[in-house]
Amino acid sequence: MPELVFFSGTMDCGKSTLALQIAHNRSARGLQGLIFTRDDRAGEGKLSSRLGLVTDAVEAVPGMDLYAYVVDRVSHGGRVDYVIVDEAQFLAPVQIDQLARVVDDLGMDVFAFGITTDFRTKLFPGSRRLIELADRIETLQVEAMCWCGARATHNARTVDGEMVVEGEQVVVGDVSSPAAEVGYEVLCRRHHQRRMTSASAGAGALSPDVLPVASD
């Protein structure tokens, strides 16, 4: 039976790499897929991984009817055996509904990849709808690591190296350069709550992280 599968995880856990691997494996078996993406680091209409792999994709712009796009592709003689969607957290909830319809009405597997929560630890609307509708949710097993060595579970946004918890939900930045004007970094819950990034941790090395004690 065809499925809507949501592969979730933090930044840096290999979501795009897995998306490319699924596309490669199915292509090697003679299947043809349609790849959607949104705001990829490599630019519009690209699906790329941090390992340097990249392929062409369809940019899922706001307001685009993904179900209608697939139907139009097939109606004009194109072959679509499955659909891959990267950066699915950026999609509108109605676009997630359209992906579910691709599964139910067209009988195609849809593999969606995305981050569940934003830098404020709030669910992205697209991810929330995927959690509500997906036949299966897979948490990626490649664990991103916080600067302290613990498992990273939260995404942090930095502005000039300082962590922020307010602002627009979607702002393009560079996860590989968290000290840039706008950057992103993955942290464990403990250091996300303390707003302690790798940069501020270096500055805080002179102040040992100790338990609070009451004064006499």
Side-chain angles (χ1 to χ4, degrees):
M1 292 290 292
E3 290 184 307
L4 172 58
V5 186
F6 180 30
F7 294 91
S8 68
T10 63
M11 297 178 295
D12 261 355
C13 70
K15 295 182 300 299
S16 298
T17 301
L18 180 57
L20 288 163
Q21 185 67 53
I22 288 176
H24 170 77
N25 289 352
R26 293 190 166 229
S27 175
R29 295 297 178 265
L31 301 176
Q32 296 183 25
L34 179 59
I35 301 175
F36 291 106
T37 190
R38 174 81 175 273
D39 295 336
D40 188 270
R41 68 185 70 83
E44 184 173 326
K46 297 292 182 182
L47 167 57
S48 66
S49 78
R50 301 190 198 288
L51 299 181
L53 305 173
V54 63
T55 191
D56 291 329
V58 177
E59 189 75 11
V61 298
M64 180 180 183
D65 188 327
L66 304 184
Y67 175 81
Y69 188 96
V70 176
V71 170
D72 184 70
R73 173 71 68 90
V74 175
S75 298
H76 286 81
R79 179 179 169 185
V80 181
D81 297 308
Y82 63 93
V83 175
I84 288 176
V85 185
D86 197 29
E87 306 293 358
Q89 73 273 6
F90 295 143
L91 300 184
V94 67
Q95 291 177 311
I96 303 302
D97 290 345
Q98 293 159 6
L99 293 175
R101 192 179 176 194
V102 169
V103 176
D104 297 336
D105 293 358
L106 304 181
M108 300 176 187
D109 284 316
V110 175
F111 306 103
F113 298 80
I115 298 167
T116 50
T117 57
D118 63 17
F119 69 103
R120 303 165 300 182
T121 71
K122 304 296 183 181
L123 284 169
F124 283 98
S127 298
R128 180 191 299 274
R129 193 60 178 146
L130 275 165
I131 292 170
E132 294 167 344
L133 292 183
D135 297 295
R136 184 158 47 95
I137 299 173
E138 299 283 352
T139 301
L140 269 69
Q141 298 304 307
V142 176
E143 295 184 350
M145 297 180 65
C146 178
W147 59 264
C148 69
R151 177 174 177 263
T153 55
H154 290 61
N155 305 301
R157 177 184 293 171
T158 61
V159 176
D160 293 328
E162 296 293 326
M163 180 177 161
V164 296
V165 293
E166 296 181 354
E168 295 293 328
Q169 187 173 53
V170 180
V171 176
V172 177
D174 185 0
V175 71
S176 64
S177 302
E181 182 177 353
V182 176
Y184 290 91
E185 183 174 354
V186 288
L187 301 172
C188 63
R189 184 182 64 236
R190 177 167 175 257
H191 288 124
H192 190 278
Q193 291 181 335
R194 297 185 181 191
R195 303 188 189 182
M196 187 176 291
T197 65
S198 56
S200 62
L206 299 179
S207 301
D209 190 9
V210 298
L211 291 174
V213 296
S215 58
D216 294 334

